[in-house]
């Protein structure tokens, strides 16, 4: 342990800066946010060691660990960096975004089932009013069940 402490005590400040830069570069490459705060902690310890060169190795490692773990916990528990789900209630629910939209039947429906065009994509549809829409009929989306749109005559 004394050898490790001696190594970190004589380690110049720029080692910490290089470690921080490497961790941040790996974070940019991986985009996982696992290496962000350890990279920042290493940069902070390098900056502190630049200002106060006499910091021993044990204190450097301790500060690095406390800053990295503490900042990671604070970041994960805070609301920073998160999307508020109430501001986008239909985010990642594409079919919900089509509620009330006017669509066009692509082909004649077989009974109450068929296909409609929404913007530039084809969606399976179910005619809720019991009708059998014909190709080109205007319909309105009144509900959805997964990727099945519930429609009625517009």
């Amino acid at each position: 342990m004394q050898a490790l402490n001696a190594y970190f005590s004589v380690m110049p400040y720029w080692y910490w800066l290089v470690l921080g830069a490497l961790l941040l570069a790996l974070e940019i490459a991986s985009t996982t946010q696992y290496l962000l705060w350890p990279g920042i902690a290493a940069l902070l310890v390098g900056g502190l060691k630049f200002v106060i060169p006499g910091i021993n190795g044990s204190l450097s490692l301790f500060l690095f660990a406390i800053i990295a773990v503490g900042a990671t916990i604070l970041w994960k528990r805070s609301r920073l960096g998160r999307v508020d789900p109430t501001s986008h209630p239909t985010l990642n629910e594409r079919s919900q975004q089509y509620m009330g939209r006017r669509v066009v039947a692509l082909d004649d429906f077989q009974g109450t089932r068929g296909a409609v065009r929404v913007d530039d994509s084809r969606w399976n549809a179910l005619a809720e009013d019991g009708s059998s829409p014909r190709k080109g009929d205007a319909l309105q989306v009144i509900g959805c069940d997964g990727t099945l749109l519930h429609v009625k005559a517009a």
Side-chain angles (χ1 to χ4, degrees):
M1 185 67 176
Q2 288 180 352
L4 190 60
N5 187 28
Y7 173 75
F8 281 107
S9 292
V10 296
M11 190 169 89
Y13 71 93
W14 61 269
Y15 277 32
W16 284 104
L17 297 178
V18 169
L19 175 64
L22 286 173
L23 289 172
L24 291 176
L26 288 172
E27 172 57 40
I28 290 170
S30 69
T31 68
T32 60
Q33 294 185 352
Y34 292 123
L35 301 174
L36 176 66
W37 296 108
I40 292 172
L43 291 175
L44 289 174
V45 170
L48 189 63
K49 206 155 166 73
F50 176 74
V51 173
I52 308 169
I55 294 177
N56 69 10
S58 298
L59 183 58
S60 296
L61 283 175
F62 178 74
L63 288 174
F64 172 73
I66 292 298
I67 294 170
V69 172
T72 302
I73 290 171
L74 286 174
W75 175 256
K76 293 293 183 182
R77 290 187 177 215
S78 73
R79 297 200 48 83
L80 298 173
R82 292 187 190 167
V83 174
D84 182 16
T86 59
S87 66
H88 301 287
T90 59
L91 184 66
N92 295 329
E93 295 181 21
R94 188 171 175 195
S95 58
Q96 290 286 332
Q97 297 173 8
Y98 296 141
M99 296 291 290
R101 293 272 309 265
R102 294 186 73 138
V103 296
V104 176
L106 285 175
D107 295 312
D108 294 343
F109 275 43
Q110 302 297 319
T112 58
R113 292 192 172 262
V116 296
R117 177 177 302 282
V118 182
D119 297 330
D120 62 346
S121 58
R122 178 186 180 102
W123 285 76
N124 291 324
L126 174 67
E128 284 292 320
D129 56 5
S131 65
S132 292
R134 313 266 308 158
K135 181 178 181 178
D137 285 353
L139 304 166
Q140 184 176 11
V141 178
I142 58 170
C144 64
D145 182 24
T147 60
L148 179 68
L149 298 179
H150 298 264
V151 296
K152 69 174 185 174

